[in-house]
Amino acid sequence: MSSKRSTPFYFGGAASCIAAMVVHPFDLTKVRLQNTKGAVNQGMLATMLNIARTEGVLQLYAGLSASILRQATYSTVRFGGYEKLKAYMMAQGNKKDLSVWQMLIASSTAGALGGACGNPGDVVNVRMQNDGQLPLHQRRNYKHALDGVVRIAREEGMAALFRGVGPNINRAILMTSSQCVSYDSFKDLLLRYSPLQDGLILHFTSSTLAGLVATTVCSPVDVIKTRIMTASTVSGSALQIMAGMYRNEGIASFFKGWTPAFIRLAPQTIITFVVLEQFKKWHAAFHDRQLVLAKI
């Protein structure tokens, strides 16, 4: 990728928040499917219809405030960190392009930081989305994301806000690497070897392919993370849970919720990158205009 003007750190987080508001029902459905124990194999559409019928249509947006909180922390850090690390590495090496390995190092570092920063919001997000399928006496009934954070800290201790932080960091590394690096790689390849020019169609195609890669790579870790975070008590390490899932439910259990995960992640990835590219375009146009005015 070519060297470009530095953009504000928060652009990626802002774009992700916009995307989260659009795809939230799919995210909720994915969490419900991932948390289904045993060999039950209910489809995405059936699960969404069941939620709407038994809990109400608005329940498909349960936990939206937590989802936005998560993106405002997790995605701001991972996208902002990735762009800053890329710029730093290009400046240090006096390069216009980075290798895939260098982009993987930048994305893995940014992803790890984002996963740690976003973990409290993620715990609340997963719990609020899963609340509706619990028996009435087990429901937590958080009013909103901040209420969830305060109650978890008060009732279970601060450590509970970082439950599942290990799998979450692993997932964030995988997500950032597979999503950002594959997007940059697909975009570069399409610019080089296809008639597509830098614009909406290129951004749409690259982000769709990146969403496919990211969903498949992240699915196993995402399922394990969801089960750890929804548990009221610590039920073993990630490796023990993974071994138990494989033993009791088979390899397919690691890909539970793949379809809603892709249907959620594909539009989220598309919206995020298209909006992010638009933010960059507006930012560059604003800067150019300021330079022109300064010369007058």
Side-chain angles (χ1 to χ4, degrees):
M1 283 190 315
S2 300
S3 179
K4 295 181 180 179
R5 179 186 285 118
S6 177
T7 53
F9 192 84
Y10 62 85
F11 270 7
S16 295
C17 287
I18 292 170
M21 289 188 280
V22 176
V23 302
H24 188 77
F26 298 110
D27 194 26
L28 182 142
T29 305
K30 178 205 70 172
V31 168
R32 295 287 185 92
L33 283 170
Q34 288 177 340
N35 221 36
T36 302
K37 305 290 176 68
V40 178
N41 191 25
Q42 191 176 31
M44 181 207 68
L45 184 58
T47 301
M48 290 186 77
L49 290 173
N50 185 55
I51 293 169
R53 185 175 62 253
T54 59
E55 304 172 38
V57 175
L58 289 179
Q59 194 63 24
L60 288 167
Y61 282 90
L64 179 59
S65 62
S67 184
I68 292 172
L69 173 64
R70 175 178 177 266
Q71 294 299 338
T73 50
Y74 160 69
S75 286
T76 297
V77 173
R78 73 186 183 102
F79 277 112
Y82 177 61
E83 292 294 332
K84 296 300 180 186
L85 286 169
K86 281 197 304 178
Y88 174 78
M89 292 168 77
M90 284 190 285
Q92 288 294 106
N94 195 24
K95 298 177 180 178
K96 289 186 177 180
D97 298 285
L98 294 178
S99 68
V100 172
W101 290 109
Q102 288 173 313
M103 288 192 290
L104 283 171
I105 291 170
S107 60
S108 297
T109 304
L113 292 170
C117 291
N119 205 81
D122 209 5
V123 171
V124 178
N125 183 39
V126 169
R127 288 188 176 191
M128 289 181 74
Q129 290 177 346
N130 191 56
D131 221 30
Q133 73 182 115
L134 296 174
L136 286 173
H137 67 282
Q138 291 182 12
R139 293 182 185 179
R140 298 172 174 102
N141 295 316
Y142 300 142
K143 295 175 184 177
H144 46 74
L146 294 180
D147 178 57
V149 171
V150 171
R151 280 185 52 192
I152 290 171
R154 187 173 63 239
E155 296 167 11
E156 303 173 50
M158 287 295 294
L161 289 170
F162 291 91
R163 181 174 294 157
V165 70
N168 206 25
I169 287 175
N170 291 335
R171 179 188 179 277
I173 291 172
L174 291 173
M175 177 62 75
T176 307
S177 298
S178 59
Q179 200 176 43
C180 293
V181 176
S182 63
Y183 175 79
D184 286 343
S185 299
F186 284 130
K187 182 180 173 184
D188 186 55
L189 287 170
L190 290 169
L191 278 172
R192 288 173 186 263
Y193 303 111
S194 81
L196 292 178
Q197 301 297 313
D198 194 4
L200 182 61
I201 296 175
L202 175 69
H203 302 156
F204 179 88
T205 305
S206 301
S207 56
T208 301
L209 293 169
L212 179 63
V213 172
T215 303
T216 304
V217 169
C218 296
S219 185
V221 180
D222 203 20
V223 173
I224 294 166
K225 180 209 75 169
T226 296
R227 294 201 177 184
I228 290 173
M229 288 184 173
T230 53
S232 295
T233 58
V234 178
S235 55
S237 68
L239 287 175
Q240 289 173 323
I241 291 172
M242 186 167 61
M245 286 172 60
Y246 179 74
R247 185 172 57 251
N248 300 324
E249 302 171 55
I251 193 71
S253 65
F254 294 102
F255 295 92
K256 277 188 174 181
W258 188 95
T259 301
F262 175 70
I263 292 174
R264 177 193 70 88
L265 191 58
Q268 184 180 44
T269 304
I270 292 165
I271 294 167
T272 297
F273 281 113
V274 168
V275 172
L276 179 57
E277 294 280 8
Q278 194 62 45
F279 281 166
K280 290 178 179 179
K281 182 180 176 182
W282 290 338
H283 182 260
F286 175 78
H287 253 277
D288 291 341
R289 186 168 178 271
Q290 293 297 106
L291 287 173
V292 170
L293 290 174
K295 291 178 181 179
I296 296 175

